Amino acid sequence: MTNLTAKDLDVLSHVLTAEEMACKKARIYANTLTDAALAQEMERIAASHAQRFAALYSMIGGGKS
């Protein structure tokens, strides 16, 4: 892992928040939509946001014991 500056951590924090919110919203839309194809697409989008969140979170050492 590279050494991250305070500014890097601040930016990552904001991006993590945005990815988390985008994931939650996509899941809400997926559960609300009546069109099955659109709901499935929203689930795919939510999964993409969740993957990006996990990748970014690992950059700051998240999830390590």
Side-chain angles (χ1 to χ4, degrees):
M1 179 176 132
T2 32
N3 293 331
L4 299 173
T5 66
K7 182 66 176 172
D8 294 334
L9 291 173
D10 186 48
V11 170
L12 277 172
S13 174
H14 289 295
V15 175
L16 280 167
T17 300
E19 287 294 345
E20 182 180 30
M21 292 304 299
C23 179
K24 286 180 180 180
K25 285 181 180 184
R27 288 219 167 100
I28 289 169
Y29 296 150
N31 292 327
T32 304
L33 290 166
T34 55
D35 183 310
L38 288 176
Q40 186 176 16
E41 182 64 13
M42 280 294 124
E43 277 297 335
R44 188 193 65 73
I45 290 169
S48 295
H49 284 294
Q51 286 176 339
R52 281 192 294 276
F53 178 91
L56 290 166
Y57 191 64
S58 70
M59 289 180 70
I60 58 172
K64 292 184 181 176
S65 300

